[in-house]
Amino acid sequence: NEVLIPPLNFAMVAPGIYRSGYPNSRNHAFMQNKLRLRTIIYLCPEDYMEANVDFCKLNNIKVFQFGIQGNKEPFVDIPEDAIRDALYVLLDVRNHPVLIHCNKGKHRTGCLVGCLRKLQHWSLTSIFDEYRRFAGNKVRVLDQQFIELFRTSRVSAEHLRTLACNN
């Protein structure tokens, strides 16, 4: 019996949607045997680790990379269009089960999940509570501001209807 080790900061977001920090080869058995992933949404600009590339090829897992820099002061902003594009991949049930991750599973992942929660009509208080649970003592006010100001109206209603029809 192989020990199954989830990635750092792993959690279920919703049925078929998971979040974590950067997975490594120790996490591959868990990802294969428990999650049975179809898709990974990778939010960092750096090239994907070779062991993960090989794992994904072997298991027919699609990787969508959205090269988002960390939202650190003073001049780095998360591009709203990248989050919107990542949401389209995330919301398409044909991509489920899907794992969202960045390096630590805190900030960029927290922003994407926070924007998903806005689409799900969560209150900002609940969204920020969830964000803080994963960010710990590394909460970034700019991330929370990004989530608050994210315009869900720019996530195409037509696209969302198309996704709903594919259920």
Side-chain angles (χ1 to χ4, degrees):
N1 286 343
E2 188 173 10
V3 176
L4 302 178
I5 303 168
L8 173 75
N9 248 343
F10 175 81
M12 178 187 277
V13 174
I17 301 174
Y18 306 94
R19 65 178 291 164
S20 76
Y22 203 107
N24 59 51
S25 55
R26 290 187 311 256
N27 310 130
H28 289 170
F30 174 82
M31 292 164 61
Q32 180 182 19
N33 298 328
K34 292 295 180 189
L35 304 183
R36 303 190 189 285
L37 295 174
R38 281 192 194 157
T39 308
I40 291 176
I41 296 175
Y42 174 47
L43 299 173
C44 299
E46 297 81 20
D47 288 341
Y48 213 35
M49 186 173 72
E50 193 64 35
N52 285 350
V53 170
D54 294 342
F55 169 77
C56 289
K57 283 181 185 173
L58 183 67
N59 291 283
N60 296 315
I61 299 170
K62 295 177 287 188
V63 177
F64 292 87
Q65 183 173 3
F66 300 92
I68 299 170
Q69 296 289 335
N71 197 14
K72 295 179 182 175
E73 293 187 71
F75 302 112
V76 176
D77 290 324
I78 292 180
E80 189 171 318
D81 60 333
I83 292 292
R84 198 168 38 254
D85 291 346
L87 281 168
Y88 289 148
V89 173
L90 181 61
L91 293 168
D92 188 338
V93 295
R94 295 170 294 186
N95 292 322
H96 294 185
V98 59
L99 175 68
I100 308 160
H101 80 85
C102 53
N103 285 330
K104 304 286 185 201
K106 295 178 180 183
H107 302 109
R108 287 167 276 206
T109 298
C111 285
L112 179 57
V113 171
C115 292
L116 171 67
R117 299 306 191 200
K118 282 190 81 170
L119 285 171
Q120 295 174 319
H121 305 290
W122 281 32
S123 71
L124 283 176
T125 301
S126 297
I127 293 169
F128 294 156
D129 283 348
E130 181 180 45
Y131 173 88
R132 285 191 293 269
R133 270 198 310 277
F134 288 92
N137 62 356
K138 302 271 186 170
V139 168
R140 292 182 183 160
V141 173
L142 289 176
D143 287 347
Q144 292 178 303
Q145 181 182 47
F146 175 84
I147 294 166
E148 182 176 358
L149 298 176
F150 181 78
R151 294 168 289 201
T152 57
S153 62
R154 293 224 174 141
V155 178
S156 160
E158 179 180 317
H159 188 83
L160 293 175
R161 275 193 302 277
T162 302
L163 295 176
C165 292
N166 290 323
N167 281 336

